[in-house]
């Protein structure tokens, strides 16, 4: 648990800030039972996520990559938002200006009621056509192993930013604008190892935001933030309201 004084300092910041940005990573959904990539439960068969979530893997064996995404969709379809997701959605409704940046692709923030969301790494519940590039919502579980576009018959891929791919430029620049102008940045459950998302924290600090981190373990951010609380997201985030 966090020392009481840190928690009350953070509560005061949350209550007084008129412009808040929250940045989340896989750790916030860990409390919903969604495996993180770097945690001990993050394995799938004998593959590593980093070996499957790449354009090269999809080129080599789209069926295997879809098999993995189908497995992840199946796991996710049984998961629900937890109290931390709900608290973030409530915070949005109480704050003058509120933006949520997430590295998660699981859609749980949306289910919890968050609205102003920048999904840096895409959305596992969307497909993108490799030919005509159209993006559509798709909640089928399981999806056929080689799904094709209804418009142009091109091969569909998950609408996910894979390792080695560029992030959507518009989403990325809105995220940087958000942290550069906010009063308070709350970083929840991210390892700070994935770029360019990892650059958002130093950018917020450089522009004068108060930055707080909530994570089970110390991260590369911990020494640079104004306040670091080591605890489970679902235990601490609801207490901030
Ligand atoms: P990560 O797996 O690198 O790190 C997870 C972080 O969460 C760790 O620092 C860990 O200490 C912390 N954590 C674990 N349980 C926690 C809890 N209960 N409360 C608070 N913190 C907790 O995750 P990342 O930083 O998001 O980067 C991984 C990449 O993998 C992202 O790009 C993301 O797109 C993708 N990913 C997404 C999901 C998802 O959508 N749920 C799941 C796995 C991976
Ligand atoms: Zn198409």
């Amino acid at each position: 648990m966090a020392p009481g004084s840190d928690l009350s300092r953070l509560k005061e910041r949350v209550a007084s800030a008129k412009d808040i940005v929250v940045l989340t990573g896989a750790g916030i959904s860990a409390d919903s039972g969604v495996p993180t990539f770097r945690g001990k439960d993050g394995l799938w068969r004998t593959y590593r996520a980093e070996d499957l979530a790449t354009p090269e893997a999809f080129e080599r064996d789209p069926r295997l990559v879809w098999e993995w995404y189908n497995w992840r969709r199946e796991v996710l379809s049984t998961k629900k938002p937890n109290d931390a997701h709900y608290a973030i959605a409530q915070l949005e409704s109480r704050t003058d200006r509120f933006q949520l940046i997430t590295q998660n692709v699981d859609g749980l923030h949306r289910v919890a009621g968050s609205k102003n969301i920048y999904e840096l790494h895409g959305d596992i519940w969307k497909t993108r056509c490799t030919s005509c590039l159209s993006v559509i919502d798709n909640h089928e579980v399981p999806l056929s192993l080689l799904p094709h576009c209804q418009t142009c018959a091109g091969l569909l891929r998950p609408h996910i930013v894979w390792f080695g791919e560029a992030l959507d430029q518009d989403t990325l620049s809105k995220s940087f604008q958000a942290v550069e102008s906010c009063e308070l940045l709350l970083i929840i459950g991210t390892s700070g190892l994935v770029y360019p998302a990892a650059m958002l924290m130093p950018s917020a600090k450089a522009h004068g935001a108060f930055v707080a981190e909530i994570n089970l373990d110390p991260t590369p951010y911990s020494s640079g933030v104004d306040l670091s609380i080591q605890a489970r997201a679902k235990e601490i985030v609801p207490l901030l309201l």
Side-chain angles (χ1 to χ4, degrees):
M1 264 318 243
S5 59
D6 277 354
L7 190 58
S8 35
R9 267 177 74 210
L10 187 52
K11 270 180 88 155
E12 280 164 27
R13 290 277 174 177
V14 169
S16 65
K18 295 192 169 11
D19 188 332
I20 300 179
V21 174
V22 173
L23 168 65
T24 63
I28 192 168
S29 294
D31 280 337
S32 290
V34 180
T36 62
F37 278 179
R38 289 170 182 79
K40 59 176 163 41
D41 301 323
L43 285 176
W44 180 75
R45 294 190 175 181
T46 53
Y47 299 96
R48 295 184 315 141
E50 287 85 344
D51 293 335
L52 285 164
T54 66
E56 293 77 21
F58 192 69
E59 191 110 320
R60 207 183 310 126
D61 193 347
R63 203 175 277 270
L64 176 69
V65 173
W66 265 118
E67 200 184 336
W68 186 60
Y69 278 96
N70 260 336
W71 172 76
R72 286 187 67 197
R73 284 162 65 111
E74 202 177 313
V75 171
L76 281 173
S77 67
T78 66
K79 307 299 182 198
K80 296 189 169 58
N82 63 60
D83 290 348
H85 294 104
Y86 286 117
I88 289 170
Q90 264 195 44
L91 195 56
E92 176 167 7
S93 65
R94 293 182 188 189
T95 309
D96 290 351
R97 193 170 150 73
F98 183 93
Q99 295 163 96
L100 171 61
I101 306 169
T102 187
Q103 297 167 84
N104 296 346
V105 299
D106 55 34
L108 291 177
H109 282 300
R110 203 177 306 280
V111 177
S114 285
K115 298 208 163 53
N116 204 6
I117 314 176
Y118 305 132
E119 290 174 316
L120 283 178
H121 296 157
D123 180 348
I124 201 165
W125 301 110
K126 291 190 172 127
T127 59
R128 185 166 83 238
C129 176
T130 55
S131 297
C132 73
L133 308 181
S134 64
V135 175
I136 52 167
D137 284 334
N138 183 307
H139 286 259
E140 276 170 61
V141 174
L143 205 57
S144 75
L145 280 185
L146 280 182
H148 283 84
C149 177
Q150 302 219 327
T151 314
C152 79
L155 179 62
L156 297 180
R157 58 167 278 178
H159 185 51
I160 299 270
V161 180
W162 283 330
F163 293 97
E165 291 187 317
L167 278 65
D168 177 70
Q169 199 49 50
D170 185 50
T171 310
L172 192 61
S173 60
K174 282 181 176 144
S175 301
F176 273 95
Q177 280 164 22
V179 297
E180 285 166 9
S181 61
C182 72
E183 268 175 81
L184 171 64
L185 172 65
L186 268 176
I187 303 176
I188 305 169
T190 168
S191 62
L193 295 173
V194 178
Y195 282 81
M199 291 302 298
L200 291 164
M201 185 296 260
S203 186
K205 279 247 40 112
H207 287 81
F210 184 91
V211 181
E213 171 192 61
I214 298 167
N215 197 301
L216 214 44
D217 296 311
T219 73
Y221 293 136
S222 305
S223 57
V225 296
D226 297 295
L227 198 156
S228 177
I229 295 179
Q230 272 158 43
R232 305 193 83 83
K234 80 164 177 197
E235 281 163 15
I236 294 298
V237 185
L239 302 180
L240 299 177
L241 292 177

